[in-house]
Protein backbone atom coordinates (compact mmCIF):
# COMPACT_ATOMS: atom_id res chain seq x y z
CA UNK A 1 0.00 0.00 0.00
CA UNK A 2 1.41 3.41 -0.99
CA UNK A 3 1.94 6.31 1.42
CA UNK A 4 -0.75 8.35 -0.40
CA UNK A 5 -3.33 5.65 0.22
CA UNK A 6 -2.38 5.46 3.88
CA UNK A 7 -2.58 9.24 4.30
CA UNK A 8 -6.24 9.15 3.31
CA UNK A 9 -6.97 6.85 6.31
CA UNK A 10 -5.09 8.99 8.84
CA UNK A 11 -7.28 11.67 10.51
CA UNK A 12 -6.46 15.33 9.84
CA UNK A 13 -4.50 16.58 12.85
CA UNK A 14 -4.82 20.38 12.58
CA UNK A 15 -6.60 22.71 10.19
CA UNK A 16 -4.58 25.24 8.28
CA UNK A 17 -4.59 28.72 9.92
CA UNK A 18 -5.79 30.40 6.73
CA UNK A 19 -8.73 28.02 6.45
CA UNK A 20 -9.67 28.47 10.11
CA UNK A 21 -9.52 32.26 10.22
CA UNK A 22 -10.59 33.00 6.67
CA UNK A 23 -8.75 35.00 4.04
CA UNK A 24 -7.80 38.58 5.08
CA UNK A 25 -9.07 39.91 1.80
CA UNK A 26 -12.52 38.61 2.54
CA UNK A 27 -12.81 40.83 5.63
CA UNK A 28 -14.45 40.05 8.96
CA UNK A 29 -17.91 38.61 9.04
CA UNK A 30 -20.72 40.92 10.19
CA UNK A 31 -22.75 39.91 13.25
CA UNK A 32 -26.32 41.19 13.79
CA UNK A 33 -25.97 43.30 10.61
CA UNK A 34 -23.91 46.01 12.41
CA UNK A 35 -21.26 44.61 14.79
CA UNK A 36 -18.50 42.31 13.57
CA UNK A 37 -18.44 40.38 16.86
CA UNK A 38 -19.58 40.40 20.47
CA UNK A 39 -17.19 40.48 23.41
CA UNK A 40 -18.80 39.48 26.75
CA UNK A 41 -22.17 40.36 25.28
CA UNK A 42 -21.07 43.80 24.08
CA UNK A 43 -21.03 44.55 20.31
CA UNK A 44 -17.62 45.00 18.66
CA UNK A 45 -17.78 47.26 15.58
CA UNK A 46 -14.11 46.95 14.48
CA UNK A 47 -11.40 44.32 14.77
CA UNK A 48 -8.75 45.22 17.39
CA UNK A 49 -5.41 46.25 15.90
CA UNK A 50 -3.40 44.52 18.67
CA UNK A 51 -5.24 41.17 18.47
CA UNK A 52 -2.80 38.27 18.76
CA UNK A 53 -3.81 34.68 18.10
CA UNK A 54 -1.20 32.04 19.13
CA UNK A 55 -0.35 29.50 16.44
CA UNK A 56 -1.76 26.59 18.48
CA UNK A 57 -4.93 28.41 19.57
CA UNK A 58 -7.13 26.99 16.82
CA UNK A 59 -5.35 23.65 16.47
CA UNK A 60 -7.74 20.69 16.74
CA UNK A 61 -6.31 17.24 17.31
CA UNK A 62 -8.67 14.29 17.14
CA UNK A 63 -7.05 11.35 18.89
CA UNK A 64 -8.54 8.51 16.88
CA UNK A 65 -6.63 5.80 18.77
CA UNK A 66 -6.20 5.16 22.48
CA UNK A 67 -2.60 3.99 22.23
CA UNK A 68 -0.04 2.12 20.14
CA UNK A 69 -1.78 -1.24 20.56
CA UNK A 70 -5.09 0.29 19.47
CA UNK A 71 -3.50 1.67 16.28
CA UNK A 72 -1.73 -1.61 15.53
CA UNK A 73 -4.92 -3.61 16.05
CA UNK A 74 -6.80 -1.19 13.77
CA UNK A 75 -4.27 -1.65 10.95
CA UNK A 76 -4.47 -5.45 11.25
CA UNK A 77 -8.27 -5.71 11.44
CA UNK A 78 -8.88 -3.11 8.68
CA UNK A 79 -6.97 -5.22 6.14
CA UNK A 80 -8.23 -8.58 7.48
CA UNK A 81 -4.76 -9.81 8.39
CA UNK A 82 -4.47 -13.00 10.42
CA UNK A 83 -3.41 -11.87 13.88
CA UNK A 84 -1.47 -15.12 14.32
CA UNK A 85 0.49 -14.49 11.10
CA UNK A 86 1.07 -10.72 10.90
CA UNK A 87 2.84 -9.43 7.75
CA UNK A 88 5.36 -7.31 9.64
CA UNK A 89 6.70 -5.36 6.63
CA UNK A 90 3.31 -3.99 5.55
CA UNK A 91 2.06 -3.29 9.07
CA UNK A 92 5.31 -1.61 10.13
CA UNK A 93 5.29 0.62 7.03
CA UNK A 94 1.74 1.84 7.70
CA UNK A 95 2.42 2.26 11.41
CA UNK A 96 5.49 4.44 10.78
CA UNK A 97 3.50 6.59 8.36
CA UNK A 98 0.95 7.35 11.06
CA UNK A 99 3.69 8.07 13.63
CA UNK A 100 5.29 10.50 11.20
CA UNK A 101 1.98 12.38 10.92
CA UNK A 102 1.51 12.85 14.68
CA UNK A 103 5.22 13.60 15.24
CA UNK A 104 4.85 16.83 13.27
CA UNK A 105 2.27 18.25 15.66
CA UNK A 106 2.60 16.48 19.02
CA UNK A 107 6.05 15.15 19.83
CA UNK A 108 5.05 14.10 23.37
CA UNK A 109 2.26 11.88 22.10
CA UNK A 110 4.45 10.52 19.32
CA UNK A 111 6.99 9.23 21.87
CA UNK A 112 4.47 6.64 23.06
CA UNK A 113 4.05 5.34 19.52
CA UNK A 114 7.79 5.39 18.77
CA UNK A 115 8.40 2.71 21.39
CA UNK A 116 6.01 0.35 19.60
CA UNK A 117 7.61 1.27 16.26
CA UNK A 118 10.99 0.22 17.62
CA UNK A 119 9.49 -3.08 18.73
CA UNK A 120 8.03 -3.71 15.26
CA UNK A 121 11.37 -3.01 13.61
CA UNK A 122 13.12 -5.35 16.05
CA UNK A 123 10.63 -8.15 15.35
CA UNK A 124 11.07 -7.66 11.61
CA UNK A 125 14.85 -7.80 11.91
CA UNK A 126 14.69 -10.99 14.01
CA UNK A 127 12.50 -12.62 11.37
CA UNK A 128 15.11 -11.86 8.72
CA UNK A 129 17.85 -13.61 10.71
CA UNK A 130 18.23 -17.40 10.69
CA UNK A 131 16.15 -18.90 13.53
CA UNK A 132 18.03 -20.11 16.58
CA UNK A 133 17.15 -23.47 17.99
CA UNK A 134 15.97 -23.61 21.59
CA UNK A 135 18.00 -25.16 24.38
CA UNK A 136 15.87 -28.32 24.42
CA UNK A 137 16.19 -28.77 20.67
CA UNK A 138 12.58 -27.86 19.90
CA UNK A 139 11.16 -25.43 17.39
CA UNK A 140 12.32 -21.82 17.88
CA UNK A 141 9.75 -19.37 19.19
CA UNK A 142 8.14 -17.02 16.70
CA UNK A 143 9.43 -13.44 17.30
CA UNK A 144 5.85 -12.22 16.86
CA UNK A 145 4.48 -14.42 19.70
CA UNK A 146 4.75 -11.82 22.47
CA UNK A 147 3.21 -9.10 20.28
CA UNK A 148 0.34 -11.41 19.27
CA UNK A 149 -0.34 -12.23 22.93
CA UNK A 150 -0.52 -8.53 23.85
CA UNK A 151 -2.80 -7.75 20.91
CA UNK A 152 -5.22 -10.59 21.77
CA UNK A 153 -5.39 -9.52 25.43
CA UNK A 154 -5.95 -5.89 24.46
CA UNK A 155 -8.73 -6.80 22.01
CA UNK A 156 -10.47 -8.90 24.67
CA UNK A 157 -10.34 -6.02 27.16
CA UNK A 158 -11.57 -3.58 24.51
CA UNK A 159 -14.55 -5.78 23.61
CA UNK A 160 -15.37 -6.30 27.30
CA UNK A 161 -15.29 -2.54 27.88
CA UNK A 162 -17.62 -2.03 24.92
CA UNK A 163 -20.10 -4.57 26.33
CA UNK A 164 -19.99 -2.88 29.74
CA UNK A 165 -20.57 0.51 28.10
CA UNK A 166 -23.73 -0.86 26.44
CA UNK A 167 -25.25 -1.74 29.83
CA UNK A 168 -27.90 0.66 31.17
CA UNK A 169 -26.25 3.52 33.03
CA UNK A 170 -28.02 5.72 35.56
CA UNK A 171 -28.18 9.29 34.38
CA UNK A 172 -27.55 8.29 30.77
CA UNK A 173 -30.13 5.59 29.97
CA UNK A 174 -32.49 5.91 32.93
CA UNK A 175 -33.13 8.06 35.98
CA UNK A 176 -33.53 7.03 39.58
CA UNK A 177 -37.16 7.01 40.69
CA UNK A 178 -38.05 9.46 43.45
CA UNK A 179 -41.08 9.25 45.71
CA UNK A 180 -42.33 12.21 47.72
CA UNK A 181 -43.92 11.32 51.08
CA UNK A 182 -46.14 13.84 52.81
CA UNK A 183 -44.95 14.76 56.29
CA UNK A 184 -48.52 14.85 57.58
CA UNK A 185 -49.00 11.12 57.13
CA UNK A 186 -48.96 9.20 60.38
CA UNK A 187 -45.89 6.97 60.69
CA UNK A 188 -46.57 3.27 60.69
CA UNK A 189 -44.59 1.39 63.28
CA UNK A 190 -43.73 -2.30 62.86
CA UNK A 191 -45.74 -4.92 64.73
CA UNK A 192 -44.32 -6.17 68.03
CA UNK A 193 -43.63 -9.88 68.31
CA UNK A 194 -44.87 -11.75 71.40
CA UNK A 195 -41.37 -12.99 72.23
CA UNK A 196 -39.98 -9.45 72.09
CA UNK A 197 -42.75 -8.21 74.40
CA UNK A 198 -42.07 -11.05 76.85
CA UNK A 199 -38.34 -10.28 76.85
CA UNK A 200 -39.03 -6.58 77.49
CA UNK A 201 -41.28 -7.42 80.46
CA UNK A 202 -38.64 -9.77 81.92
CA UNK A 203 -36.07 -6.99 81.64
CA UNK A 204 -38.36 -4.59 83.56
CA UNK A 205 -38.83 -7.14 86.36
CA UNK A 206 -35.07 -7.68 86.55
CA UNK A 207 -34.45 -3.96 86.94
CA UNK A 208 -37.20 -3.70 89.58
CA UNK A 209 -35.49 -6.33 91.72
CA UNK A 210 -32.26 -4.36 91.62
CA UNK A 211 -33.95 -1.24 93.01
CA UNK A 212 -35.91 -2.71 95.95
CA UNK A 213 -36.41 -0.59 99.09
CA UNK A 214 -36.43 -1.92 102.68
CA UNK A 215 -38.35 -0.02 105.36
CA UNK A 216 -36.81 -0.56 108.80
CA UNK A 217 -39.01 0.17 111.82
CA UNK A 218 -37.89 0.31 115.42
CA UNK A 219 -39.89 -1.85 117.83
CA UNK A 220 -39.85 -0.97 121.50
CA UNK A 221 -39.03 -4.17 123.47
CA UNK A 222 -38.82 -4.24 127.28
CA UNK A 223 -36.86 -6.87 129.18
CA UNK A 224 -38.93 -6.21 132.32
CA UNK A 225 -42.14 -6.77 130.39
CA UNK A 226 -40.90 -10.13 129.04
CA UNK A 227 -39.81 -11.14 132.54
CA UNK A 228 -43.43 -10.83 133.60
CA UNK A 229 -44.56 -12.80 130.52
CA UNK A 230 -42.21 -15.69 131.43
CA UNK A 231 -43.39 -15.74 135.05
CA UNK A 232 -47.06 -15.80 134.01
CA UNK A 233 -46.43 -18.64 131.59
CA UNK A 234 -44.85 -20.74 134.39
CA UNK A 235 -47.60 -20.13 136.97
CA UNK A 236 -49.66 -23.22 137.72
CA UNK A 237 -47.11 -25.49 136.04
CA UNK A 238 -44.56 -27.64 137.75
CA UNK A 239 -42.04 -27.12 134.94
CA UNK A 240 -41.86 -26.25 131.30
CA UNK A 241 -39.45 -27.14 128.53
CA UNK A 242 -36.92 -24.45 127.69
CA UNK A 243 -37.91 -24.09 123.99
CA UNK A 244 -41.64 -23.81 124.85
CA UNK A 245 -41.06 -20.42 126.45
CA UNK A 246 -40.06 -18.83 123.11
CA UNK A 247 -42.44 -17.61 120.40
CA UNK A 248 -40.54 -18.12 117.08
CA UNK A 249 -43.23 -16.35 115.06
CA UNK A 250 -42.40 -12.92 116.50
CA UNK A 251 -38.91 -12.68 115.05
CA UNK A 252 -35.35 -12.89 116.36
CA UNK A 253 -35.60 -9.60 118.30
CA UNK A 254 -38.32 -10.95 120.58
CA UNK A 255 -36.44 -14.23 121.07
CA UNK A 256 -33.33 -12.34 122.19
CA UNK A 257 -35.29 -10.21 124.66
CA UNK A 258 -37.10 -13.29 126.03
CA UNK A 259 -33.78 -15.08 126.58
CA UNK A 260 -32.35 -12.03 128.38
CA UNK A 261 -35.49 -11.92 130.57
CA UNK A 262 -35.00 -15.58 131.56
CA UNK A 263 -31.37 -14.90 132.46
CA UNK A 264 -32.42 -11.95 134.61
CA UNK A 265 -35.03 -14.12 136.41
CA UNK A 266 -32.43 -16.84 137.02
CA UNK A 267 -29.97 -14.25 138.36
CA UNK A 268 -32.65 -12.98 140.76
CA UNK A 269 -33.42 -16.59 141.80
CA UNK A 270 -37.00 -16.35 140.57
CA UNK A 271 -36.76 -19.45 138.37
CA UNK A 272 -34.57 -22.52 138.08
CA UNK A 273 -33.07 -24.09 134.94
CA UNK A 274 -32.43 -27.81 135.39
CA UNK A 275 -31.19 -30.78 133.34
CA UNK A 276 -31.20 -34.42 134.43
CA UNK A 277 -28.04 -35.41 132.51
CA UNK A 278 -25.82 -34.29 129.65
CA UNK A 279 -27.66 -33.76 126.38
CA UNK A 280 -30.97 -34.24 128.16
CA UNK A 281 -33.87 -31.79 127.71
CA UNK A 282 -33.63 -28.51 129.62
CA UNK A 283 -36.51 -27.64 131.93
CA UNK A 284 -37.50 -24.36 133.55
CA UNK A 285 -39.62 -23.96 136.70
CA UNK A 286 -40.43 -21.33 139.30
CA UNK A 287 -38.02 -21.10 142.25
CA UNK A 288 -40.81 -20.34 144.73
CA UNK A 289 -44.29 -21.62 145.38
CA UNK A 290 -47.10 -19.11 145.26
CA UNK A 291 -49.01 -18.62 148.46
Amino acid sequence: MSDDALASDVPELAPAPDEALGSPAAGPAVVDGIAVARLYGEPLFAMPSDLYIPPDALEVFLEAFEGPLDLLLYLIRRQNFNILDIPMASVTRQYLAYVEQIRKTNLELASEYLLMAAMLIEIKSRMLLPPKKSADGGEPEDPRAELVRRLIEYEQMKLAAARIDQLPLIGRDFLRAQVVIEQSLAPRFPDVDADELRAAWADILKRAKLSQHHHITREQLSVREHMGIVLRSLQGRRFAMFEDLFDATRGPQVLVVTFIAMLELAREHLLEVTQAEAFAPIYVRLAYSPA
Side-chain angles (χ1 to χ4, degrees), residues 17 23 26 31 33 46 58 66 75 95 134 162-163 207-208 228 250 254 268:
S23 175
V31 180
L58 300 179
E66 298 179 359
L75 296 175
Y95 186 90
S134 59
R163 288 194 297 268
R207 284 185 291 155
R250 298 189 60 184
V254 177
E268 295 178 4

Side-chain angles (χ1 to χ4, degrees), residues 18-285:
D18 293 339
E19 296 176 1
L21 297 178
S23 175
V30 178
V31 180
D32 295 338
I34 301 177
V36 296
R38 287 184 177 272
L39 181 62
Y40 298 107
E42 298 295 332
L44 189 65
F45 299 98
M47 293 293 293
S49 58
D50 58 345
L51 180 62
Y52 170 73
I53 301 178
D56 297 336
L58 300 179
E59 180 180 1
V60 179
F61 178 77
L62 299 178
E63 187 178 355
F65 304 103
E66 298 179 359
L69 284 177
D70 196 20
L71 170 60
L72 193 59
L73 185 63
Y74 166 77
L75 296 175
I76 294 173
R77 292 306 187 193
R78 184 174 64 89
Q79 301 178 80
N80 294 323
F81 289 151
N82 185 3
I83 197 171
L84 300 178
D85 187 16
I86 303 174
M88 297 303 302
S90 177
V91 171
T92 303
R93 190 181 306 110
Q94 298 177 45
Y95 186 90
L96 291 176
Y98 180 84
V99 172
E100 183 64 21
Q101 290 288 335
I102 63 175
R103 188 182 64 83
K104 296 178 181 179
T105 57
N106 195 329
L107 186 60
E108 182 179 357
L109 181 61
S111 62
E112 302 179 7
Y113 291 83
L114 287 174
L115 180 61
M116 178 60 69
M119 181 183 295
L120 294 176
I121 296 174
E122 179 191 5
I123 293 174
K124 180 58 181 176
S125 63
R126 289 172 58 190
M127 293 178 64
L128 295 175
L129 296 175
K132 295 182 180 180
K133 293 185 178 181
S134 59
D136 55 357
E139 292 293 332
E141 184 181 6
D142 192 336
R144 299 169 293 182
E146 178 64 20
L147 178 61
V148 170
R149 182 188 63 81
R150 293 177 59 185
L151 286 172
I152 292 177
E153 291 181 354
Y154 176 78
E155 187 175 27
Q156 291 175 349
M157 295 297 103
K158 187 175 181 180
L159 293 176
R163 288 194 297 268
I164 293 176
D165 187 65
Q166 293 176 358
L167 296 176
L169 180 64
I170 183 172
R172 184 191 68 182
D173 302 315
F174 64 93
L175 298 176
R176 189 185 302 275
Q178 297 181 356
V179 179
V180 179
I181 301 177
E182 296 292 339
Q183 297 294 332
S184 59
L185 297 178
R188 180 181 177 183
F189 298 101
D191 298 333
V192 180
D193 189 71
D195 294 336
E196 297 179 357
L197 189 61
R198 189 182 304 108
W201 172 245
D203 184 64
I204 293 176
L205 292 179
K206 183 178 179 180
R207 284 185 291 155
K209 292 180 180 179
L210 296 177
S211 59
Q212 289 182 351
H213 300 279
H214 300 276
H215 298 280
I216 300 175
T217 58
R218 185 174 181 179
E219 184 179 0
Q220 297 293 336
L221 298 176
S222 172
V223 176
R224 182 64 59 181
E225 179 183 356
H226 280 75
M227 290 172 63
I229 294 174
V230 173
L231 291 176
R232 288 193 296 271
S233 63
L234 291 176
Q235 286 181 358
R237 303 169 62 180
R238 294 180 57 188
F239 58 85
M241 296 188 66
F242 178 77
E243 56 268 19
D244 292 342
L245 298 177
F246 296 92
D247 187 2
T249 60
R250 298 189 60 184
Q253 296 85 356
V254 177
L255 297 179
V256 171
V257 174
T258 303
F259 182 67
I260 295 175
M262 292 177 59
L263 294 178
E264 286 293 328
L265 291 172
R267 186 175 65 85
E268 295 178 4
H269 303 288
L270 296 178
L271 56 79
E272 294 179 355
V273 181
T274 60
Q275 186 179 27
E277 58 184 0
F279 305 106
I282 300 175
Y283 296 95
V284 180
R285 65 179 180 178

